[in-house]
């Protein structure tokens, strides 16, 4: 069986950024709470002409334009989102149309909060590995806009973005070990969004506990899978993996997760001395923090957030890390989580769009952000100057959503 994984990857983020120092000032909060307490510098804000469909199509279109994949090679298009635009018509079929995907390409939308992107990636890798793909490829897109009520505790942890990944048996960027992964699922109300709401509801502190409990459960299952039920690894986890990528609702969560993972690993290995806090901090600075750069500036992009960390790794550190073992943890509220691993591929070190798009963003004021948030949803405004996308949302006509290519 050949390796399977991500052959190429491209990101997209909205053009506006809101400084969290500005937001803190407007909300009467100490800016250090957002900067140090949550680890955030800014968050991406989508203009009214963007939604989960345009973010997804705008992430994927450059893969075709740059000749990284051909349309007729893609036989499975999976779009993961929790920002769906219709109860019945999936985001994936709008994206299928905008990208002019082949009619013989199977497509559907997946949802399980932030875990959906990983559910799609795992489905695609296993489809390729099973041979059902018959040499063809999958396009997996994770796309979301995170929204909480204005003035709520969740407000600084919003964001938006999409990551498009071509999955094949030529894993130039990262090979995914589809034979070994650990899962954890449990019905909880830590974060949810009733059908009539645009903003999510969340039990914030409880959601942090649920995330960490799911990490414990998924990692134990991963360890069991790797050694036929034996939980005791001969080597500490930091000797087995040089890179750790986490789902990042806010960057401080990755620090909490990493510290907890080292503690769980120590407990499972039955060692005498627990890992010291300063060891955990050093391990975090080397093996986690460098890959959080995009998330610090984009905020929570839900399904896409873990893959923004991967995109940062591949673009800014990929060449140095070729051949490195990476551990990945995906969490979706509600909840379902997966701990899995991969090997950084021989093609890592190419542009994924992170740096370029971050550099092209336009800062907006808190007043501009609030006006965008409270504006009518069915906004037919043209894309603003400096818009980087290929497609925009053009409002509804006879209850049908319309999307147009950006002219010029
Ligand atoms: P909060 O209650 O406003 O904040 O909400 P806090 O009081 O917990 O403070 C946060 C941190 O800032 C604390 O650090 C404070 O000590 C520190 P910690 O104890 O955690 O290490 N702090 C300061 N630091 C420096 N200077 C100061 C200062 N003041 C305080 N002056 C919360 C925080 C994250 C709960 C909130 O923003 C929230 O509800 N966010 C949304 C939910 C969320 O992100 N949950 C994460 C886990 S669930 C998940 O990841 C799934 C999700 O992505 C959705 C999905 O799956 O689809 C959300």
């Amino acid at each position: 069986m050949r390796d399977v994984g991500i052959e190429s990857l491209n990101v997209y983020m909205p053009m506006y950024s809101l400084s969290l120092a500005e937001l803190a000032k407007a909300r009467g909060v100490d800016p250090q709470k957002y900067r140090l307490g949550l680890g955030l510098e800014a968050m991406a804000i989508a203009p009214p002409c963007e939604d989960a469909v345009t973010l997804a199509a705008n992430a994927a279109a450059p893969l075709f334009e740059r000749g990284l994949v051909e349309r007729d090679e893609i036989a499975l298009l999976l779009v993961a989102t929790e920002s769906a635009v219709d109860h019945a018509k999936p985001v994936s079929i709008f994206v299928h149309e905008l990208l002019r995907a082949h009619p013989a390409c199977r497509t559907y939308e997946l949802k399980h909060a932030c875990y959906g992107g990983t559910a799609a990636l795992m489905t695609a890798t296993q489809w390729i590995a099973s041979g059902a793909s018959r040499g063809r490829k999958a396009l997996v897109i994770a796309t979301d806009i995170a929204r909480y009520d204005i003035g709520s505790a969740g407000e600084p942890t919003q964001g938006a973005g999409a990551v498009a990944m071509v999955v094949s048996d030529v894993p130039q960027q990262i090979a995914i070990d589809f034979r070994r992964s650990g899962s954890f699922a449990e019905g909880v109300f830590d974060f949810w969004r009733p059908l009539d709401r645009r903003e999510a509801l969340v039990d914030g502190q409880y959601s942090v506990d649920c995330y960490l409990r799911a990490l414990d459960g998924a990692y134990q299952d991963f360890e069991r899978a790797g050694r036929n039920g034996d939980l005791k690894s001969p080597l500490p986890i930091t000797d087995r993996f040089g890179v750790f990528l986490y789902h990042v609702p806010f960057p401080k969560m990755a620090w909490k997760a990493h510290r907890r993972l080292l503690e769980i690993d120590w407990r499972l290995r039955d060692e005498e001395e627990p890992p010291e806090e300063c060891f955990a901090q050093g391990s975090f600075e080397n093996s986690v923090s460098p890959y959080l750069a995009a998330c610090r500036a984009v905020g929570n992009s839900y399904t896409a957030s873990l893959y923004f960390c991967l995109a940062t790794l591949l673009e800014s550190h990929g060449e140095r890390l070729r051949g490195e073992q990476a551990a990945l943890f995906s969490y979706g509220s509600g909840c379902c989580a997966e701990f899995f691993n991969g090997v950084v591929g021989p093609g890592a070190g190419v542009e994924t769009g992170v740096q370029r798009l971050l550099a092209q963003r336009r800062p907006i004021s808190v007043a501009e952000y609030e006006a965008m948030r409270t504006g009518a949803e069915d906004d037919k405004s043209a894309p603003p100057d400096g818009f980087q996308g290929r497609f925009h949302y053009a409002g509804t006509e006879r209850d049908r959503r319309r999307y147009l290519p950006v002219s010029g």
Side-chain angles (χ1 to χ4, degrees):
M1 179 76 237
R2 294 182 64 176
D3 286 345
V4 174
I6 299 171
E7 181 178 335
S8 52
L9 177 153
N10 192 62
V11 313
Y12 182 77
M13 64 187 81
M15 61 181 286
Y16 293 139
S17 79
L18 178 64
S19 147
L20 283 197
E22 293 295 314
L23 183 67
K25 205 159 36 163
R27 300 291 176 255
V29 171
D30 179 353
Q32 298 294 48
K33 175 174 175 182
Y34 295 168
R35 202 172 73 81
L36 300 176
L38 299 176
L40 286 161
E41 286 154 16
M43 57 192 186
I45 304 292
C49 69
E50 293 250 52
D51 63 11
V53 172
T54 64
L55 294 177
N58 289 330
L63 293 168
F64 298 103
E65 289 164 14
R66 283 155 49 199
L68 294 170
V69 68
E70 299 298 327
R71 283 180 169 73
D72 58 7
E73 288 182 292
I74 302 291
L76 180 64
L77 167 60
L78 301 181
V79 181
T81 189
E82 53 180 295
S83 316
V85 297
D86 190 283
H87 290 316
K89 190 164 170 162
V91 167
S92 50
I93 196 64
F94 289 107
V95 175
H96 189 286
E97 185 182 7
L98 290 176
L99 296 178
R100 291 181 286 113
H102 197 280
C105 169
R106 177 195 290 166
T107 188
Y108 54 94
E109 179 186 302
L110 292 90
K111 177 174 75 184
H112 189 133
C114 303
Y115 171 68
T118 300
L121 179 62
M122 288 303 177
T123 301
T125 53
Q126 288 162 7
W127 174 72
I128 305 265
S130 73
S133 60
R134 304 196 309 275
R136 296 165 302 169
K137 303 178 183 187
L139 177 58
V140 169
I141 312 177
T143 176
D144 268 309
I145 301 179
R147 289 195 190 97
Y148 300 94
D149 285 330
I150 288 185
S152 69
E155 187 183 31
T157 65
Q158 300 176 110
V163 180
M165 301 170 264
V166 174
V167 179
S168 77
D169 59 4
V170 192
Q172 283 292 306
Q173 302 305 316
I174 185 166
I176 303 290
D177 183 353
F178 57 88
R179 293 176 196 84
R180 181 187 181 190
S181 86
S183 299
F184 177 84
E186 182 183 33
V188 287
F189 266 99
D190 61 333
F191 164 104
W192 66 107
R193 186 161 71 86
L195 289 176
D196 56 345
R197 282 187 67 103
R198 202 151 79 117
E199 284 78 24
L201 298 173
V202 63
D203 188 342
Q205 304 297 343
Y206 177 56
S207 72
V208 170
D209 294 344
C210 290
Y211 179 119
L212 295 175
R213 197 166 61 242
L215 172 63
D216 193 334
Y219 180 57
Q220 290 203 38
D221 191 43
F222 175 81
E223 287 296 78
R224 237 178 260 120
R227 276 183 304 281
N228 288 329
D230 179 8
L231 279 168
K232 198 168 171 180
S233 161
L235 287 175
I237 189 163
T238 45
D239 287 1
R240 289 180 277 145
F241 298 103
V243 163
F244 296 84
L245 305 180
Y246 295 94
H247 166 56
V248 185
F250 51 94
K252 180 80 168 285
M253 189 71 231
W255 157 242
K256 289 177 193 283
H258 193 61
R259 189 177 49 186
R260 179 65 63 91
L261 181 65
L262 301 199
E263 186 197 314
I264 301 164
D265 184 63
W266 161 75
R267 190 163 26 85
L268 292 179
R269 287 171 15 82
D270 225 359
E271 295 271 292
E272 276 181 15
E273 291 299 315
E276 295 161 24
E277 185 82 357
C278 62
F279 171 74
Q281 184 66 37
S283 170
F284 175 79
E285 295 302 337
N286 287 328
S287 313
V288 184
S289 181
Y291 319 120
L292 296 175
C295 292
R296 287 189 210 288
V298 169
N300 194 354
S301 53
Y302 290 161
T303 51
S305 135
L306 170 63
Y307 300 99
F308 263 102
C309 295
L310 179 61
T312 304
L313 179 156
L314 295 173
E315 182 173 87
S316 302
H317 310 270
E319 224 171 303
R320 168 176 68 84
L321 292 172
R322 287 176 186 170
E324 185 65 80
Q325 295 283 343
L328 297 92
F329 176 67
S330 177
Y331 176 76
S333 283
C335 70
C336 187
E338 191 150 343
F339 194 102
F340 59 109
N341 72 120
V343 180
V344 179
V350 290
E351 198 201 313
T352 61
V354 171
Q355 302 278 1
R356 187 175 47 77
L357 290 170
L358 281 177
Q360 286 167 347
R361 291 199 304 176
R362 187 181 318 155
I364 54 168
S365 66
V366 174
E368 287 172 295
Y369 146 72
E370 287 176 350
M372 263 179 240
R373 278 292 302 273
T374 48
E377 173 146 62
D378 195 17
D379 191 302
K380 292 192 171 65
S381 61
D385 285 347
F387 186 74
Q388 296 294 322
R390 275 55 166 179
F391 308 101
H392 70 97
Y393 171 58
T396 57
E397 211 171 84
R398 291 181 296 126
D399 277 336
R400 294 162 198 210
R401 292 182 84 84
R402 291 165 62 242
Y403 295 93
L404 294 173
V406 175
S407 49

